[in-house]
Amino acid sequence: MKNKPLRHKETNTFKFQPFSERIANINVDIFHYVKHPYEESSEDCETFFYQVLQKWNVLNLSESYDLLRKEITNNVQTLPQLLSQKEHIVHVLLNHLENSNLLSLQATLEFVVALARDLRQEFYVYYTEFFAKLIGLLNTKDTNQLEWTFTCLAYLFKFLWRHLVRDLAPVFESLLPLLSSSKPQYINNFAAESFAFVARKVKDKRSFLKLVLKSLLKYPDGIDGCGRLLFETVRGISGQFHTCAESLLIFLLESLFDESLPQKILFKVLTHLVVCITENINSKNSQVFWKNIQLVIEKSCLSDNFDKPETVMEGMTCLLSLIETSLQHKGGVFLLNPSSLVETLVNILKHREWNDGVYTVIINVVSALLQGFRINLSQEVSSKLIRNILSINSKLIIKLFVLKTLNYGGFETFVLPGAIDLCSQLDTLDSLHLLSKIVVNKVPPSLMVENFQLWSRYPLNLSQSYKEYIQRLYHQLFDILNVNSIEEITGNVDNVCAALLILPHLQDLDQTIYDKV
């Protein structure tokens, strides 16, 4: 066999990249780069616009660019010259953006950036017109055009932010279509990443949040996009939080207790914010999130202002739901310090009585905490948490907890004794159905003959301390199974099935009653 030449390559130099991969490689983050070449001060007092013109005169020899260059002319070297031709240049650039040619589009967009850099306030008068043209350029599948356009937008936000924050309402409403769920997700992400710089500059966070939520009341399809915008605002580099994240997160979480805000929309926005955080922030840097959400929870628990209990209950429900969302990500990998969260949950249970809505979400959080395969809890901490859950003065909530933790590895050790105690307090028929659900989950019925030998009893271990309950349970079983016709069975099939499922697993038997059954 002929040997391969030394120059033979194992892989192709050029590979086909699908659209999704090319989109993933686009980076419009201009805020963490070294200064843009045209931000550097010129010793000759040349305008940035003129520097861009000189650059593209060398790099682009296409016919479409040559037309653009001739329309601009060379009399733009100084700021007075540029100002005197301002309206003409704006008209030329808008016209070329309207009738865009891919060969000259990148140069045209750089001219827009340079003009904004030079004129600032004078350029802001035309911002709306340029923004509309840029939005039109995003209706494409060309990744180069998308990258150039969003980079241009990012620079406009950077250079004009002082004017944008003073006129935030119309600016944000013009951005909202890019955050709509009707747009592709990559458009949402690029728009959020670009505008996050402006959002960080807004000092009145409450007014900004009100503006966002008010806009979402009109355009609810922008909820996920606005959640992404808030995430990009608190996002730093290399999987870290931005320095503004701590103050902004506390403000957002405390807003869940603000009656003046539309809470349902706010909760949906924050839920998407948390999803983005868990997916993009490194778990090693997650302490900022956990510290602040636990701080807000503890503050609401200790607050003596309980004049409006419904508001507090709803706010707490939302906070705990956000914790549940974060724990569901990859088996709880985002949780850095499980013991600290357990202490917070125990404090919630101890400080005051909550309604069933809050308790239900607590159960969901505890279930996710106990069963997260990436969460390490010691037996001591787990036992403490479960004891506090089982001490809740609500049979319905404890029953929910038992059913939620059927697949928990420590179920038999920590949960089953509490489940048996609960059954002794429930109506006999209700307890029968609860026990049957436990048994079916732990020892599923053998549907194949080959599996009969593998079948074994489940150790329910009803001790003599439950003697009165055992008597009630067996009498209930006898009443259910004492049937004389098919019609009696079909009319009571659920109870009959539950009785037949549970009967073989009852070990602490009164033999006389058992034989009768």
Side-chain angles (χ1 to χ4, degrees), residues 200-387:
R200 292 190 196 105
K201 299 294 184 181
V202 178
K203 293 182 179 179
D204 190 349
K205 294 181 175 59
R206 180 177 172 79
S207 296
F208 177 62
L209 182 61
K210 278 189 171 182
L211 171 63
V212 171
L213 298 177
K214 182 180 177 181
S215 300
L216 290 176
L217 288 173
K218 297 179 183 177
Y219 309 103
D221 60 345
I223 287 176
D224 287 355
C226 289
R228 183 74 190 195
L229 172 60
L230 293 179
F231 164 69
E232 293 293 347
T233 306
V234 300
R235 182 186 198 176
I237 59 173
S238 304
Q240 302 178 66
F241 280 105
H242 192 273
T243 51
C244 73
E246 188 162 348
S247 60
L248 184 57
L249 282 174
I250 286 181
F251 165 73
L252 292 172
L253 295 172
E254 288 180 342
S255 297
L256 289 168
F257 297 89
D258 188 343
E259 279 187 304
S260 66
L261 299 175
Q263 290 298 322
K264 289 184 179 179
I265 292 180
L266 175 59
F267 174 65
K268 291 178 181 178
V269 171
L270 295 187
T271 298
H272 194 72
L273 165 64
V274 171
V275 170
C276 292
I277 286 175
T278 55
E279 290 177 349
N280 295 279
I281 299 296
N282 193 309
S283 59
K284 295 178 182 177
N285 305 314
S286 65
Q287 191 56 33
V288 172
F289 170 79
W290 291 111
K291 182 181 74 172
N292 288 298
I293 197 168
Q294 288 174 239
L295 183 67
V296 174
I297 286 175
E298 289 172 5
K299 190 185 294 185
S300 63
C301 284
L302 295 172
S303 174
D304 295 328
N305 183 17
F306 215 66
D307 299 332
K308 299 177 179 178
E310 290 185 5
T311 302
V312 177
M313 296 291 182
E314 288 176 7
M316 184 62 73
T317 301
C318 291
L319 282 176
L320 290 166
S321 296
L322 294 179
I323 291 179
E324 181 189 357
T325 299
S326 65
L327 292 177
Q328 289 173 344
H329 176 67
K330 294 184 178 180
V333 69
F334 194 68
L335 181 60
L336 197 61
N337 187 356
S339 299
S340 175
L341 180 58
V342 169
E343 285 300 320
T344 300
L345 293 171
V346 170
N347 289 336
I348 293 173
L349 294 169
K350 285 182 176 179
H351 272 94
R352 54 171 58 127
E353 291 289 325
W354 303 97
N355 61 24
D356 284 353
V358 176
Y359 280 134
T360 299
V361 185
I362 290 176
I363 295 305
N364 293 338
V365 171
V366 172
S367 173
L369 194 57
L370 293 173
Q371 298 177 81
F373 63 87
R374 302 289 290 274
I375 299 175
N376 294 318
L377 278 179
S378 66
Q379 287 195 355
E380 181 183 358
V381 173
S382 300
S383 175
K384 178 182 179 181
L385 179 59
I386 292 170
R387 283 200 309 272

Side-chain angles (χ1 to χ4, degrees), residues 33 53 90 105 107 122 215 290 344 367 374 389 469 504:
Y33 285 167
L53 182 63
V90 166
L105 180 59
E122 298 287 334
S215 300
W290 291 111
T344 300
S367 173
R374 302 289 290 274
I389 292 294
Y469 168 62

